[in-house]
Amino acid sequence: MGALSVVKAGSARPSSPPESPKPSRSKAVRGGAGPGARRRRAGLLMVAPALLHAALWIGLPVVAAVLLAFTSYDVLSAPKFVGLDNFRDMLGDAVFRKSVLNTVVYTFFTVPFGMALGLLLALGLNAGLRARGVFRTAIFLPQVTATVAIALVWLWIYNPRNGLFTTLLSIFGVESPAWLASTTWAMPSVILVGIWQGIGMKMLIYLAALQNLPKELYEAASVDGASKVRQFFSLTLPLLKPATFFVLITSMISAFQSFDQIYILTDGGPANSTTMMTYEIYKSAFREFRVGYACAQSLVLFVLLMAFTLVNRRMMGGTRGHG
Amino acid sequence: MAESRPRVSPGRVALYVTLALTSLLMVVPFAWMVLTSLKTPAEIASEHAGLLPSHWEFGNYVDAFKAAPFATYARNSFVIAISHTVINVLVASMAGYALARIRFRGSDLIFYCFIAALMIPTYTKVLPEFLIVRFMPLAGGNDLFGQGGSGWLDSWWALIVPGAVTPFAVFLFRQFYLDLPVELEEAARLDGLGEFRIYARIMTPQVKPALTTVALLTFESSWNNFLWPLLVTRTDSLRVIQVGLSVFKTENGTQWHFLMAGTTLATLPMVILFLIGQRYFVQGFATAGLK
């Protein structure tokens, strides 16, 4: 929920958590005190299509995923209740353990590194440059492009015979490895693509947050003789805490769910060195037809995400840092 | 746009150079994609090819269209992305309006359900969603209990319906409608307008930025979606462009000139849309970030 509290970062209004109703709402409610019954019915009618859609395509699937996680199910015959067998199997599944580790490694490198780079770029773009829009557009471009398309381009860049990397390195007389076919280099190569694609979003959210920072504080700090570096660490970083939390959580959620790039770039290989939890879920369900097992794996993914979110929230000390 | 007068100082120059280099790094893969799409296969295969094509082979695009039904893939992607955009804008704006401006029994609970739905990872729901599609009663030869046929698999229904409405859009619309003044609504009510008319004629025209933002973000995620169309389609005639590209890769793995031509075509609509609607994209992503 904290992730949502930077809503409308572009407007002057400071972040407001969704759970606290704003004054306009209560006024709006009082405004309709007249022939209320018809109004209430209209309200329910208007929400109904979205609600039914969510019930069928989000609510029901989540319930089904939880139930199926305790079954053995191959789609062809009826699901069979197996208790905790799926979870026990997972503990003994070396490939799944590897995929959890890979997911964590991938997230660890793409998210904090991407955030640091994103923040640096945002600071640079916030310095009142000409052509700021051009830089921002270029940096953000990969974010709107399909991951499949991007992964295909990088597949070609990493091509060991005459891809861009190989060509460029050969100019310097360096012989490049078969990036994606090497157990050493495949993961770093995938991570590089992840950082490259995700950096625009992180930069953008930081930029929006930076533009909302109170200028008076900086003027006061300058008067007090605080250096730029000091201002950054004592003012900017603490003030950016809500944005940092937002970027961290949203990037982590998407990093944990990376699939397209793995599917295109490596198929989880070589020797499972780049397989991720999502890829294992996909494999269990659609290649091995172990739907129950796949659902159990997806629950583990969900629980891990939740746990990470809560731990981060605790570590960041909540998100209502400035107001 | 500039907040302070740009002065020439070593720091500023360094900043410009850094940003320019970074921007270059972000754009180079796209340039490499386009350049490759214009090279001959022979040049791509040669060990000592330069960065620029020695002969600009624009015919690759024509040939790529012949090698794979990219026109069909692109049309399918357009149909799905447009449908999602229209449905999401309509349904989510109505829901967002009701949740923001009308208090009715259960409205708070419904709102919290949408918030909770935002938190569910795609992978937790994707398998059961697939099963629902597969066992959709009375569709694709299925009986009332969803047995016997293939349900919605390999149909437009599967491609369009499950992803049509997003809780995020509902949430975003609600935030925008919340900010509108009550007076507007009250005046309309005094004029005797019904609730649907107040929504459609009075309030919704006031939230055009929200409409644009949701429309662009919905189109973007629909156009770029890969896993879902991969799961629910088998036939070439229903494949979307992202899936078509991925299949093209495995089937004709070495034909980089075609593959990059196809990738360029798949990338182009989003790049154009992004450049046109940048303001709303930026606002939407800064607001959202939830993908």
Side-chain angles (χ1 to χ4, degrees), chain A residues 1-11 13-19 204-210 212 239-250 319-322, chain B residues 168 171-172 175 282-290:
Chain A
M1 188 138 331
L4 300 168
S5 60
V6 196
V7 162
K8 287 201 162 181
S11 72
R13 190 158 45 79
S15 59
S16 61
E19 55 265 75
L204 191 74
I205 294 167
Y206 271 127
L207 190 57
L210 282 172
N212 276 347
L239 287 171
L240 283 178
K241 218 161 107 179
T244 300
F245 181 74
F246 179 72
V247 179
L248 182 67
I249 294 300
T250 52
T319 55
R320 322 260 143 81
H322 78 274
Chain B
F168 169 68
F171 177 76
L172 196 115
Q175 299 305 105
V282 166
Q283 185 189 15
F285 274 99
T287 310
L290 295 151

Side-chain angles (χ1 to χ4, degrees), chain A residues 1 4 8 24-25 39 53 57 61 128 130 135 137 144 146 156 161-162 196 246 257 259 264 302, chain B residues 12 16 25-26 36 44-45 47 99 101 119 122-123 129 161-162 178-179 185 189 195 224 249 278 288:
Chain A
M1 188 138 331
L4 300 168
K8 287 201 162 181
S24 67
R25 177 182 172 125
R39 203 156 173 244
H53 188 276
W57 299 107
R130 280 166 207 275
F135 295 138
T137 304
V144 292
W156 170 227
R161 260 174 52 76
N162 40 17
W196 178 82
F246 179 72
Q257 299 194 78
F259 174 82
I264 299 290
F302 184 33
Chain B
R12 283 198 97 73
Y16 270 111
L25 283 177
M26 304 309 274
T36 305
I44 289 172
E47 291 273 353
L99 290 174
R101 313 294 306 199
M119 311 274 175
T122 317
Y123 280 80
E129 274 176 346
V161 174
L178 273 179
D179 285 343
E185 198 184 333
R189 199 159 293 121
E195 210 52 47
N224 290 343
K249 163 218 155 194
Q278 223 196 112

